[in-house]
Amino acid sequence: MGMSVTIDRATTQDAEQILKLQYLCYQAEAELYGDYTIAPLTETLAALRTDVAETCVLVARLGTEVVGSVRGRVDTGGTACIGRLIVHPRMQRHGLGGRLLAAVEDRLTAERDAARYRLFTGHRSEGNLRLYRRLGYAAVATEEVSRHLSLVTMEKDARPVAAGA
């Protein structure tokens, strides 16, 4: 029988695997927008280690291999900013991205008192947009970054909506 994927907090020892996976996963985004200088492809190992130490970084593991990751931090207004959701290409389309997103939302609410979640993606990233909508996110803004890229900001409330409200 195969191993199951577990999700837990990243350690600084995971940083190198996360960075390599991030580089692999963001190639398709870079190609889609014709820009290989996007932040996930230029991030340094030192910067990622700082994020692991100072923010909420989760990893999905299949045995000892990191096959997914997501990051989040909560600002002073209670908004949880979530980013760098990645899943190894061979593990995509099996619900792991949704599991990672739910796990980071739960952590940011329980540990850092998040009131709402915010993330962003490129306007051409249909798979990302579809996933986020399916998980309850709604577009709240679109910002043109260049003539090739507009960033879509999506949000959802962290508090469950009361029945009958």
Side-chain angles (χ1 to χ4, degrees):
M1 196 47 93
M3 290 183 277
S4 61
V5 174
T6 60
I7 297 173
D8 56 85
R9 189 174 301 280
T11 67
T12 54
Q13 289 77 29
D14 296 319
E16 193 170 336
Q17 279 193 71
I18 295 168
L19 195 62
K20 287 177 182 177
L21 180 61
Q22 178 176 294
Y23 190 81
L24 172 67
C25 291
Y26 275 93
Q27 293 298 312
E29 289 289 300
E31 184 176 347
L32 184 61
Y33 295 101
D35 183 358
Y36 288 86
T37 64
I38 59 177
L41 296 181
T42 59
E43 183 173 28
T44 66
L45 185 56
L48 176 52
R49 283 188 175 131
T50 298
D51 255 9
V52 169
E54 296 177 359
T55 68
C56 180
V57 180
L58 301 181
V59 291
R61 296 181 203 282
L62 182 62
T64 59
E65 179 187 8
V66 172
V67 294
S69 183
V70 65
R71 303 182 207 182
R73 69 182 77 227
V74 178
D75 68 18
T76 56
T79 299
C81 300
I82 298 171
R84 307 275 167 94
L85 175 62
I86 54 174
V87 174
H88 194 288
R90 77 172 191 274
M91 302 293 292
Q92 292 176 3
R93 308 207 49 82
H94 296 286
L96 186 51
R99 283 181 57 203
L100 277 162
L101 193 53
V104 78
E105 289 172 353
D106 289 347
R107 289 267 175 121
L108 293 171
T109 299
E111 297 173 7
R112 300 174 191 212
D113 209 23
R116 78 196 60 72
Y117 310 116
R118 177 180 297 148
L119 47 77
F120 64 90
T121 191
H123 71 287
R124 293 182 192 162
S125 302
E126 286 301 323
N128 296 349
L129 290 164
R130 205 170 26 255
L131 172 67
Y132 301 147
R133 284 186 192 112
R134 188 173 71 244
L135 297 175
Y137 285 81
V140 295
T142 302
E143 175 190 357
E144 186 175 326
V145 176
S146 70
R147 60 175 215 200
H148 300 292
L149 171 64
S150 294
L151 286 180
V152 179
T153 302
M154 303 183 82
E155 290 184 356
K156 80 175 183 181
D157 196 352
R159 295 178 207 95
V161 178

